Amino acid sequence: MTRHLPVGGGGSDLTRLVPDIATLRAGLESTGYLTDEGLATALFCAVRLPQPILLEGEAGVGKTQAAKSLARMLGTPLVRLQCYDGIEAAEALYEWNYPRQLLAIRLAEAEGTHLRESDLFGPDYLVERPLLQAVRHPGPLPVVLLIDEVDRADEEFEAFLFELLAEGAITIPEIGTVKAAVPPLAVLTSNRTRDLHDALKRRCLYHWIDYPGVARAAEIIRLHVPSAAEELTVGVAGAVQRLRSLDLQKPPGVAEAIDWVGALSLLGVSRLDPAVLGGTLGSALKYREDLDVAVDRGVAWVAGGD
């Protein structure tokens, strides 16, 4: 018979902290994360319903940062599970503390006591991995559980997540079902390297994050590099947008734009021009082939010239 193990609601606290979309949007901005109305609305629904949310978009548009900023805004821990090809459930959920189990066996032998299997496979011998940490969090506020780049994992791992996303629970064969008293606020991200299963999407709210326009990108850069010259900030925002129009393996995102402005500011540059652009393109482009494409198009064009 399955045992349900209680762990710690958080609903009234979330209502107080996030009474409306405007408050959430302002709170995220206070952490340095700018949102548009669409993303703010989606995150508000995810927090207040609550319901897992899947954020998709190209690399570098701020999907991961959305979860980090949400946790900072709420003043709650962020638990991050970085997915990768070949990740297994045990790596994401838990493993047994074998050295401690062995020590318990030897101690029992020395004392002449008998240990049952259930004595060795209990909560005290679990080593928590991110998913179990999130479920066993006592509250009062839920943790923000970031399941990052879920598209890198395989379909079997996706299926493993269904119970957690739908019921706020996970099952450990030796113990039973661990159900969260305060279910985590789950944020899943995907770069769309492959299509996710419909069953996973049905359990989540969904929002696509697009690249920001030049004006919004400049706003974001200002927040992160406030000492940069205004002309440089706007120039880099425009240059990054032009680079994305080329046939690149990895178009630069907002994170690369911020890094680029930071590097140019360090060099004492106050405006983007071809003379300084070529030596710092590596802040925005991460493949030699992409650098070649940009140089062939012309550093003057990238900088905003003809």
Side-chain angles (χ1 to χ4, degrees), residues 59-112:
V61 295
K63 304 182 295 297
T64 298
Q65 190 59 49
K68 292 180 177 180
S69 295
L70 181 62
R72 285 183 59 195
M73 172 204 161
L74 295 175
T76 194
L78 174 80
V79 176
R80 180 176 182 174
L81 173 64
Q82 179 63 54
C83 297
Y84 54 88
D85 184 23
I87 188 173
E88 297 181 354
E91 299 170 84
L93 182 54
Y94 72 95
E95 64 181 353
W96 293 107
N97 190 333
Y98 295 116
R100 188 173 179 184
Q101 289 172 323
L102 182 59
L103 182 62
I105 292 171
R106 289 178 175 173
L107 184 60
E109 290 174 347
E111 295 176 346

Coordinates of all heavy atoms in Angstrom, one line a residue, residues 59-112:
A59 N 17.9 30.6 -27.7 CA 18.8 30.8 -26.6 C 19.2 32.2 -26.4 O 19.4 33.0 -27.4 CB 20.1 30.0 -26.9
G60 N 19.2 32.7 -25.1 CA 19.7 34.0 -24.8 C 18.6 35.0 -24.7 O 18.8 36.2 -24.6
V61 N 17.3 34.6 -24.8 CA 16.2 35.6 -24.7 C 15.7 35.9 -23.3 O 14.9 36.7 -23.0 CB 15.0 35.2 -25.6 CG1 15.4 35.2 -27.0 CG2 14.4 33.8 -25.1
G62 N 16.3 35.1 -22.3 CA 16.0 35.4 -20.9 C 15.0 34.4 -20.2 O 14.4 34.7 -19.2
K63 N 14.9 33.2 -20.7 CA 14.0 32.2 -20.1 C 14.5 31.8 -18.8 O 13.7 31.8 -17.8 CB 13.9 31.0 -21.1 CG 13.5 31.3 -22.5 CD 13.4 30.0 -23.3 CE 14.7 29.3 -23.5 NZ 15.7 30.1 -24.3
T64 N 15.7 31.4 -18.7 CA 16.3 31.0 -17.4 C 16.3 32.1 -16.4 O 15.9 32.0 -15.2 CB 17.7 30.5 -17.6 OG1 17.7 29.3 -18.4 CG2 18.4 30.1 -16.2
Q65 N 16.6 33.3 -16.9 CA 16.6 34.5 -16.0 C 15.3 34.8 -15.4 O 15.1 35.4 -14.3 CB 17.2 35.7 -16.7 CG 17.5 36.9 -15.8 CD 18.5 36.6 -14.7 OE1 19.6 36.0 -15.0 NE2 18.2 36.9 -13.5
A66 N 14.2 34.5 -16.2 CA 12.8 34.8 -15.7 C 12.6 34.0 -14.4 O 12.0 34.5 -13.4 CB 11.8 34.4 -16.8
A67 N 13.0 32.7 -14.4 CA 12.8 31.9 -13.2 C 13.7 32.4 -12.0 O 13.2 32.5 -10.9 CB 13.2 30.5 -13.5
K68 N 14.9 32.8 -12.3 CA 15.8 33.3 -11.3 C 15.3 34.6 -10.7 O 15.3 34.8 -9.4 CB 17.2 33.6 -11.8 CG 18.0 32.3 -12.2 CD 19.3 32.7 -12.8 CE 20.2 31.5 -13.1 NZ 21.5 31.9 -13.7
S69 N 14.8 35.5 -11.5 CA 14.3 36.8 -11.1 C 13.0 36.6 -10.3 O 12.7 37.3 -9.3 CB 14.0 37.7 -12.2 OG 15.3 38.0 -12.8
L70 N 12.1 35.6 -10.7 CA 10.9 35.3 -10.0 C 11.2 34.9 -8.6 O 10.6 35.3 -7.6 CB 10.1 34.3 -10.7 CG 8.8 33.9 -10.1 CD1 7.8 35.1 -10.1 CD2 8.1 32.7 -10.9
A71 N 12.2 34.0 -8.4 CA 12.6 33.5 -7.1 C 13.1 34.7 -6.2 O 12.8 34.8 -5.0 CB 13.7 32.4 -7.2
R72 N 13.9 35.6 -6.8 CA 14.5 36.7 -6.1 C 13.3 37.7 -5.7 O 13.3 38.2 -4.5 CB 15.5 37.5 -6.9 CG 16.8 36.8 -7.1 CD 17.8 37.7 -7.9 NE 18.0 39.0 -7.2 CZ 18.5 40.0 -7.8 NH1 18.9 39.9 -9.1 NH2 18.7 41.2 -7.2
M73 N 12.4 37.9 -6.6 CA 11.3 38.8 -6.3 C 10.5 38.3 -5.1 O 10.1 39.0 -4.2 CB 10.4 39.0 -7.5 CG 9.2 39.7 -7.3 SD 7.9 39.3 -8.5 CE 6.4 39.9 -7.7
L74 N 10.2 36.9 -5.1 CA 9.4 36.4 -4.1 C 10.1 36.1 -2.8 O 9.5 35.9 -1.7 CB 8.8 35.0 -4.6 CG 7.8 35.1 -5.7 CD1 7.4 33.7 -6.2 CD2 6.6 35.9 -5.4
G75 N 11.5 36.2 -2.8 CA 12.3 35.9 -1.6 C 12.2 34.4 -1.3 O 12.2 34.1 -0.1
T76 N 12.2 33.6 -2.2 CA 12.1 32.1 -2.0 C 13.3 31.4 -2.7 O 13.8 32.0 -3.7 CB 10.8 31.6 -2.5 OG1 10.6 30.3 -2.0 CG2 10.7 31.5 -4.0
P77 N 13.7 30.2 -2.3 CA 14.8 29.6 -2.9 C 14.5 29.2 -4.4 O 13.4 28.9 -4.7 CB 15.0 28.3 -2.1 CG 14.4 28.6 -0.8 CD 13.2 29.5 -1.1
L78 N 15.6 29.2 -5.2 CA 15.5 28.7 -6.5 C 16.2 27.3 -6.5 O 17.4 27.2 -6.1 CB 16.3 29.6 -7.5 CG 16.4 29.1 -8.9 CD1 15.1 29.3 -9.7 CD2 17.6 29.7 -9.7
V79 N 15.5 26.3 -7.0 CA 16.1 24.9 -7.1 C 16.2 24.7 -8.6 O 15.1 24.7 -9.3 CB 15.2 23.9 -6.4 CG1 15.8 22.5 -6.7 CG2 15.1 24.1 -4.9
R80 N 17.4 24.4 -9.1 CA 17.6 24.3 -10.6 C 18.0 22.9 -10.9 O 18.9 22.3 -10.4 CB 18.7 25.3 -11.0 CG 18.9 25.2 -12.5 CD 19.9 26.3 -12.9 NE 20.2 26.3 -14.3 CZ 20.9 27.3 -15.0 NH1 21.5 28.2 -14.2 NH2 21.1 27.2 -16.3
L81 N 17.3 22.4 -11.9 CA 17.7 21.1 -12.5 C 18.1 21.4 -14.0 O 17.2 21.8 -14.8 CB 16.5 20.1 -12.5 CG 16.7 18.8 -13.3 CD1 17.9 18.0 -12.6 CD2 15.5 18.0 -13.3
Q82 N 19.4 21.2 -14.2 CA 19.9 21.4 -15.6 C 19.8 20.1 -16.4 O 20.4 19.1 -16.0 CB 21.3 21.9 -15.6 CG 21.9 22.1 -16.9 CD 21.2 23.2 -17.7 OE1 21.1 24.3 -17.3 NE2 20.8 22.8 -18.9
C83 N 18.9 20.1 -17.4 CA 18.8 18.9 -18.2 C 19.9 18.7 -19.2 O 20.4 19.7 -19.6 CB 17.4 18.9 -18.8 SG 16.0 18.9 -17.7
Y84 N 20.1 17.5 -19.6 CA 21.1 17.2 -20.6 C 20.8 15.9 -21.2 O 20.0 15.1 -20.7 CB 22.6 17.2 -20.0 CG 22.7 16.3 -18.8 CD1 23.1 15.0 -19.0 CD2 22.5 16.7 -17.5 CE1 23.3 14.1 -18.0 CE2 22.7 15.9 -16.5 CZ 23.1 14.6 -16.7 OH 23.2 13.7 -15.6
D85 N 21.5 15.6 -22.4 CA 21.2 14.3 -23.1 C 21.7 13.2 -22.2 O 22.8 13.1 -21.7 CB 22.0 14.4 -24.4 CG 21.7 13.1 -25.2 OD1 20.7 12.5 -25.0 OD2 22.6 12.8 -26.0
G86 N 20.7 12.3 -21.9 CA 21.0 11.1 -21.1 C 20.7 11.2 -19.6 O 21.0 10.3 -18.9
I87 N 20.2 12.4 -19.2 CA 19.9 12.5 -17.8 C 18.9 11.4 -17.4 O 18.0 11.1 -18.1 CB 19.3 13.9 -17.5 CG1 19.2 14.1 -16.0 CG2 18.0 14.2 -18.2 CD1 18.8 15.5 -15.6
E88 N 19.1 10.9 -16.2 CA 18.2 9.8 -15.6 C 17.4 10.3 -14.4 O 17.9 11.3 -13.8 CB 19.0 8.6 -15.3 CG 19.7 8.0 -16.5 CD 20.5 6.7 -16.1 OE1 20.6 6.4 -14.8 OE2 21.1 6.1 -17.0
A89 N 16.3 9.7 -14.2 CA 15.5 10.1 -13.1 C 16.2 10.1 -11.7 O 16.0 11.1 -10.9 CB 14.3 9.1 -13.0
A90 N 17.1 9.2 -11.5 CA 17.8 9.1 -10.2 C 18.7 10.4 -10.0 O 18.8 10.9 -8.9 CB 18.6 7.9 -10.1
E91 N 19.2 10.9 -11.1 CA 20.1 12.1 -11.0 C 19.3 13.3 -10.7 O 19.8 14.3 -10.1 CB 20.9 12.2 -12.3 CG 21.8 11.1 -12.6 CD 22.3 11.2 -14.0 OE1 23.3 11.9 -14.2 OE2 21.8 10.6 -14.9
A92 N 18.0 13.3 -11.1 CA 17.1 14.4 -10.8 C 16.4 14.4 -9.5 O 16.0 15.4 -9.0 CB 16.2 14.6 -12.0
L93 N 16.2 13.2 -9.1 CA 15.3 13.0 -7.9 C 16.0 12.7 -6.6 O 15.9 13.4 -5.6 CB 14.3 11.8 -8.3 CG 13.2 11.5 -7.2 CD1 12.4 12.7 -6.9 CD2 12.3 10.4 -7.8
Y94 N 16.7 11.6 -6.5 CA 17.3 11.2 -5.3 C 18.3 10.0 -5.6 O 18.3 9.4 -6.6 CB 16.3 10.7 -4.3 CG 15.8 9.3 -4.6 CD1 16.3 8.1 -4.1 CD2 14.7 9.2 -5.5 CE1 15.8 6.9 -4.4 CE2 14.2 8.0 -5.9 CZ 14.7 6.8 -5.3 OH 14.2 5.6 -5.7
E95 N 19.2 9.8 -4.6 CA 19.9 8.5 -4.5 C 20.1 8.1 -3.1 O 19.9 9.0 -2.2 CB 21.3 8.7 -5.2 CG 22.2 9.7 -4.6 CD 23.6 9.8 -5.3 OE1 23.8 9.0 -6.2 OE2 24.4 10.7 -4.9
W96 N 20.5 6.9 -2.9 CA 20.6 6.4 -1.5 C 22.0 6.7 -1.0 O 23.0 6.6 -1.8 CB 20.3 4.9 -1.4 CG 18.9 4.6 -1.7 CD1 18.3 4.1 -2.8 CD2 17.8 4.9 -0.8 NE1 17.0 4.0 -2.7 CE2 16.6 4.5 -1.5 CE3 17.7 5.5 0.5 CZ2 15.3 4.7 -0.9 CZ3 16.4 5.7 1.0 CH2 15.3 5.2 0.3
N97 N 22.1 7.1 0.3 CA 23.4 7.3 0.9 C 24.1 6.0 1.3 O 24.0 5.5 2.4 CB 23.2 8.2 2.1 CG 24.5 8.8 2.7 OD1 25.6 8.1 2.5 ND2 24.5 9.9 3.3
Y98 N 24.7 5.4 0.3 CA 25.3 4.0 0.5 C 26.3 4.0 1.6 O 26.3 3.0 2.4 CB 25.8 3.5 -0.8 CG 24.8 3.3 -1.8 CD1 24.8 4.0 -3.0 CD2 23.8 2.3 -1.6 CE1 23.8 3.8 -4.0 CE2 22.8 2.1 -2.6 CZ 22.8 2.9 -3.7 OH 21.8 2.7 -4.7
P99 N 27.3 4.9 1.7 CA 28.2 4.9 2.8 C 27.5 4.9 4.2 O 27.9 4.2 5.1 CB 29.1 6.1 2.6 CG 29.0 6.4 1.1 CD 27.6 6.0 0.8
R100 N 26.5 5.7 4.3 CA 25.8 5.8 5.6 C 25.0 4.5 5.9 O 25.0 4.1 7.0 CB 24.8 7.0 5.6 CG 24.2 7.3 7.0 CD 23.4 8.5 6.9 NE 22.8 8.7 8.2 CZ 21.9 9.7 8.5 NH1 21.6 10.6 7.6 NH2 21.4 9.9 9.7
Q101 N 24.5 3.9 4.8 CA 23.8 2.6 5.0 C 24.8 1.5 5.5 O 24.5 0.7 6.4 CB 23.1 2.2 3.7 CG 21.9 3.0 3.4 CD 21.3 2.7 2.0 OE1 22.1 2.4 1.1 NE2 20.0 2.7 1.8
L102 N 25.9 1.5 4.9 CA 27.0 0.5 5.2 C 27.4 0.7 6.7 O 27.6 -0.2 7.4 CB 28.1 0.7 4.3 CG 29.3 -0.3 4.5 CD1 28.8 -1.8 4.3 CD2 30.4 -0.1 3.5
L103 N 27.6 2.0 7.1 CA 27.9 2.3 8.4 C 26.9 1.8 9.4 O 27.2 1.3 10.5 CB 28.2 3.8 8.6 CG 28.6 4.3 10.0 CD1 30.0 3.7 10.3 CD2 28.7 5.8 10.0
A104 N 25.6 2.0 9.1 CA 24.5 1.5 9.9 C 24.5 0.0 10.1 O 24.3 -0.5 11.1 CB 23.2 2.0 9.4
I105 N 24.8 -0.7 8.9 CA 24.9 -2.2 9.0 C 26.0 -2.6 9.9 O 25.9 -3.5 10.7 CB 25.1 -2.7 7.6 CG1 23.8 -2.5 6.7 CG2 25.4 -4.2 7.6 CD1 24.0 -2.8 5.2
R106 N 27.2 -2.0 9.8 CA 28.3 -2.4 10.6 C 28.1 -2.1 12.1 O 28.5 -2.9 13.0 CB 29.6 -1.7 10.1 CG 30.1 -2.2 8.8 CD 31.3 -1.5 8.3 NE 31.8 -2.1 7.1 CZ 32.8 -1.5 6.3 NH1 33.3 -0.4 6.7 NH2 33.2 -2.1 5.2
L107 N 27.4 -1.0 12.3 CA 27.1 -0.6 13.7 C 26.1 -1.6 14.3 O 26.3 -2.0 15.5 CB 26.6 0.8 13.8 CG 26.3 1.4 15.2 CD1 27.5 1.4 16.0 CD2 25.6 2.8 15.0
A108 N 25.2 -2.0 13.5 CA 24.2 -3.0 14.0 C 24.8 -4.3 14.3 O 24.5 -5.0 15.3 CB 23.0 -3.1 13.0
E109 N 25.7 -4.7 13.4 CA 26.5 -6.0 13.6 C 27.3 -5.9 14.9 O 27.4 -6.9 15.7 CB 27.4 -6.3 12.4 CG 26.6 -6.7 11.2 CD 27.5 -6.8 10.0 OE1 28.7 -6.4 10.1 OE2 27.1 -7.3 8.9
A110 N 27.9 -4.8 15.1 CA 28.8 -4.7 16.3 C 27.9 -4.7 17.6 O 28.4 -5.2 18.6 CB 29.6 -3.4 16.3
E111 N 26.7 -4.2 17.5 CA 25.8 -4.1 18.7 C 25.0 -5.4 18.8 O 24.2 -5.5 19.8 CB 25.0 -2.9 18.6 CG 25.8 -1.6 18.7 CD 24.9 -0.4 18.6 OE1 23.7 -0.5 18.1 OE2 25.3 0.7 18.9
G112 N 25.0 -6.2 17.8 CA 24.2 -7.5 17.8 C 22.7 -7.2 17.6 O 21.9 -8.0 18.0

